[in-house]
Amino acid sequence: MDTGNAVTIKNLTKRYDGFVLDHISFEIPWGSIVGFIGENGAGKSTTIKAMLGLIPVNEGEIDLAGHSVCVPGGDDKWRGQVGVVFDECNFPAELKVKDIGTSMRYVFREWEQKVFEDYLCRFQIPLNKKIKELSRGMKMKLAIAVALSHHSRILILDEATSGLDPIVRNEILDIFQEFVEDGQHAVFLSSHITSDIEKIADYIILIHKGRLLLHENKDELIYGYGIVRGTKEQIERVPKELIKGKWENSFETSVLVKDKGRFERDGLEALMSSAKEPKPVLDKAGIEDILMYMVKTEV
């Protein structure tokens, strides 16, 4: 497999009763942050569990940092290079924060106690509190501190910023950006907080009902996609090849289009049929808009 990327996934398939993760393929380049979005039940957690070798897969190949995850009996050298944060903190409830480092020393070959202590200080996590006494936000910060303290090169995060206030979330996002600055690290961030992903991601992957709907450069999405709003008759005049999603109610019809610049250059006059109709409108499309329009169209 191609080892030029932090992560390479080809035709990943996992079948459950009532759900199929259907031949998922994508790459995560070194030096990048990839945002992984989709509604609940879309397949995000299944994808992450497969990437980490936590569940067997039916088909496909997974390569992390040049090591194959799916080969039975293969090496597990990739594990030390991957920092993982799930949406729940799984440290023993009775353990004190100051004792976490002692435990992790036996888990990770390249544990860096000084780095861990620096993050505890930076996150203002109280050393003498037991895990069960920490708030959800503190628990998530502790898990992130651990993930960053064992020479990990790839961070895989499932709702890692959930439960954090906006100020702390921004601090965490800054750390993720620092992490990839040297071009030798990568972040895979699954989150329902699309504003976080819109702020820091280089690429966006959208999954829906086990299928990949979108895998594109974030800036191209933000600057290239738009929402055209108008009457049903006006929207019917939008070229079909530009439409990526549609929303309709009794008052308005709107479509997500993939070439906003075409409408900005040529104007919306071609959609107007008479002076009596309200003028159609072209709006910016954010990541949440793109998610909502594409998922609603696919339902």
Side-chain angles (χ1 to χ4, degrees), residues 168-181:
V168 174
R169 285 211 326 271
N170 281 334
E171 182 183 3
I172 296 294
L173 297 180
D174 287 343
I175 288 172
F176 294 163
Q177 289 180 307
E178 291 172 13
F179 183 74
V180 302
E181 277 181 356

Side-chain angles (χ1 to χ4, degrees), residues 16-41:
Y16 293 105
D17 289 340
F19 177 80
V20 177
L21 191 65
D22 192 7
H23 293 88
I24 299 297
S25 297
F26 62 84
E27 297 174 344
I28 301 175
W30 291 112
S32 70
I33 299 175
V34 173
F36 193 38
I37 62 174
E39 78 281 19
N40 288 332

